[in-house]
Amino acid sequence: MQSIMDFTKSELEAQIQPKFRVKQLFGWLYNRYAESFEQMQNLPKKMQQQLAEEFIINPLQIAAKQQSKDGSIKYLFKLRDGHSMEAVLLKMRGTEYHEDGSIKHLPRYTVCVSTQVGCKVGCAFCLTAKGGFVRDLTPGEIVAQVIAIKKDNGLEANRKLNIVYMGMGEPLDNLENLIKAIEIFKDPDGPAIAAGRQTVSTSGLGKQIYKLGSKDLGVNLAISLHAVDDELRTKLMPINKAYNIEAVMEAVKAFPINARKRVMFEYLVIKGVNDDLKAAKKLVKLLHGIKAKVNLIYFNAYDESGFQRPEEKDMVNFQEFLLSKGITCTVRESKGLDISAACGQLREQKDEESQ
Ligand code: SF4
C-alpha cells in the first residue's frame, strides 16, 4: 500500500473531493503529525475509513539514533521493504532579530535528507557508494524523514528549518520524486518550508540540472566540485566522464538563482590531492562570472578510503586565497564527525550494525 505522503496536494485534490478536505488532511499529516486516519476528527468517518483502506501514513520508522558531541543526531530509518537509510539533524547556533528590537538566540536546524538507498554515482571518497545502489526513495520517504525528526525532537510544526538534499544518494538521479518532495515541503498547508530554505546538492548531473532549473522551484543549488581539472575529478567522481567540469559549469550558469542567493560549490579538500594554491587559482578562474560561494570541507579519513585529512594550514591558505579574490568561502565544521554523519559518510546499515 502506498503512503499518502507520496502525493502532492494537487495530486490528492484530483482524487479527494471536496478540495478543502485535502487541506485538512495536509494539516493533520504535516502540522499535527497524525499517525492514523482515525485521529483526523474533522474528516468524515467514511472518508477516514476509505483513506485507511487505500493508504498508509508513515512509510518509515526510526530504527536507531546516535547523538554526536556537537549535538548533531544521526537517524537510521527502516523502510517498509526492510531497507534502511539515514538522515542527520544538524544544530547550529542562530540569532533571530525581531521587529521590536529584541534578539533571540535559538538553535538553527538543518536536516540532511537522503533521496536514495545507496547511490549509482560511485564517488571514490564516499561510503554510501561502497554499498552500491538499491533503490530510489519515494516522495513520501523523503518528506517523512524531516517530519519524523521534527516530531522526535519536539519541534513545533511551524519551527523554521533548512533542508539539504545531501544524505544518501544523488538527488537529481531521482528527479521526479525529488521535485514532488520539494513541492510537498514548500506547501503552505503542509510543512511550509520555503524553497529558499531547501538546497539540492548534486554531483553535477548536467542534464538534470537543466531539468530542475526549468521547473523554477526557487530551490538553492550546491555542486560537489571537489577538483578543478577533469583528470582528478574523473578519478574522484566517475560521473565526470559523462558531465565534465565545463559541462557542469554551463548547466550552473543556466540555473535560475534567486537574486540574493549564490550557487554553493562544495570542495572536499584531500591532503596532497587538491589542497594547494595551484588548485585554488584554477578554482577562481572556473568560478569567474558565476555568483558562487565555496564551502571547503575537510576530508574525513576512514580506513578504506586511501585519502587523508588535509592540514589546517593548507586549508587556511586555500580559504584566504579565495577570499582575497572576492569569493565568499567558508570552511565547513566537520559536524557529526564522531558518528560518521559527515558528507559522504552515510551508508545503509546492515541489520547487525543497527542493533
Ligand atoms: S558523494 Fe553523493 S553522489 Fe557521490 S557516491 Fe556518495 S552519495 Fe553518491
Side-chain angles (χ1 to χ4, degrees), residues 169-227:
E170 161 54 65
L172 296 188
D173 189 35
N174 185 14
L175 188 62
E176 209 178 302
N177 291 348
L178 171 77
I179 289 171
K180 283 189 189 176
I182 293 169
E183 281 173 352
I184 296 168
F185 276 132
K186 63 186 238 188
D187 196 301
D189 295 321
I193 299 168
R197 288 185 171 272
Q198 301 185 48
T199 300
V200 176
S201 172
T202 176
S203 58
L205 267 59
K207 220 163 140 188
Q208 310 298 81
I209 295 174
Y210 287 109
K211 276 196 190 160
L212 178 68
S214 72
K215 300 279 172 193
D216 209 2
L217 295 167
V219 287
N220 307 312
L221 186 66
I223 304 286
S224 299
L225 189 65
H226 305 325

Side-chain angles (χ1 to χ4, degrees), residues 116 118-130 166-171 201-205 224 226 236-239 343-346:
Q116 296 177 315
C119 185
K120 291 179 205 158
V121 175
C123 301
F125 48 80
C126 174
L127 273 182
T128 300
K130 306 259 182 288
M166 206 184 259
M168 256 190 187
E170 161 54 65
S201 172
T202 176
S203 58
L205 267 59
S224 299
H226 305 325
L236 296 174
M237 308 176 73
I239 191 73
C343 176
Q345 296 201 338
L346 299 183

Side-chain angles (χ1 to χ4, degrees), residues 195-198 218 220 257-263 291-293:
R197 288 185 171 272
Q198 301 185 48
N220 307 312
I257 292 290
N258 181 312
R260 287 175 306 162
K261 303 273 182 173
R262 289 168 186 275
V263 178
K291 270 176 64 189
K293 57 183 173 182

Side-chain angles (χ1 to χ4, degrees), residues 94-165:
T95 310
E96 272 188 11
Y97 299 93
H98 294 263
E99 280 174 10
D100 62 4
S102 63
I103 297 174
K104 264 191 193 162
H105 294 289
L106 290 170
R108 239 171 5 114
Y109 294 103
T110 298
V111 186
C112 173
V113 298
S114 292
T115 50
Q116 296 177 315
V117 180
C119 185
K120 291 179 205 158
V121 175
C123 301
F125 48 80
C126 174
L127 273 182
T128 300
K130 306 259 182 288
F133 173 74
V134 180
R135 71 167 174 87
D136 287 331
L137 294 183
T138 67
E141 287 167 339
I142 299 172
V143 172
Q145 296 170 54
V146 175
I147 303 305
I149 288 177
K150 278 178 91 173
K151 194 173 168 192
D152 190 55
N153 287 274
L155 300 183
E156 285 163 14
N158 62 359
R159 182 71 170 84
K160 289 196 175 92
L161 48 74
N162 301 312
I163 295 173
V164 288
Y165 299 92

Side-chain angles (χ1 to χ4, degrees), residues 19 81 217 245 289:
K19 272 189 186 178
D81 61 3
L217 295 167
I245 295 176

